[in-house]
Amino acid sequence: MNEHDTRDDTRTGVDPGRLDDQQLMKELETIHRTRHDTLLYGSNDALRAHNDRMAGLEGEWLRRNPRRPVAPGRTREGARERGGCGQTAAPGV
């Protein structure tokens, strides 16, 4: 896909299913980086568009990675073991 080809762009960007893995990850990194500011300072329309785009991108990533590693500390059981201290662990940590 040509990065400047906008024929199939929608209001919220290129369909996530049309992105290759590298493009999808770049889009996910960008949307997560801008989330906080959009939540705090964006209009209702901007937040709605952000929510829709994030859901589409994350859904596509999950579809492509059904067997992704899950950190034990990111499960209900792991949270109970932490005692609700608010600590998080990344996979492999």
Side-chain angles (χ1 to χ4, degrees), residues 1 4 6-7 15 19 31-32 38 40 49-50 52 54-55 59-61 67-68 72 74 76 89 91 93:
M1 169 196 297
H4 301 293
T6 59
R7 287 176 292 179
D15 178 351
L19 300 171
I31 203 158
H32 286 128
T38 304
L40 294 179
H50 205 274
D52 291 347
M54 183 180 291
E60 180 63 20
W61 191 88
R67 293 190 176 103
R68 71 191 192 286
R74 300 300 300 177
R76 286 183 181 206
V93 175

Side-chain angles (χ1 to χ4, degrees), residues 38-55:
T38 304
L39 176 64
L40 294 179
Y41 309 114
S43 68
N44 288 340
D45 286 342
L47 185 57
R48 191 172 301 109
H50 205 274
N51 288 342
D52 291 347
R53 181 67 172 167
M54 183 180 291

Side-chain angles (χ1 to χ4, degrees), residues 25-44:
M25 187 55 67
K26 184 177 178 180
E27 289 283 323
L28 282 165
E29 289 169 353
T30 298
I31 203 158
H32 286 128
R33 187 174 54 251
T34 60
R35 180 63 181 176
H36 190 74
D37 283 344
T38 304
L39 176 64
L40 294 179
Y41 309 114
S43 68
N44 288 340

Side-chain angles (χ1 to χ4, degrees), residues 1 5-11 13-15 18:
M1 169 196 297
D5 182 357
T6 59
R7 287 176 292 179
D8 291 328
D9 283 8
T10 64
R11 180 174 171 223
V14 176
D15 178 351
R18 293 190 61 217

Side-chain angles (χ1 to χ4, degrees), residues 1-2 23-24 29 46 64 86-87:
M1 169 196 297
N2 180 337
Q23 291 168 323
L24 179 61
E29 289 169 353
R64 293 181 192 187
Q87 297 173 340

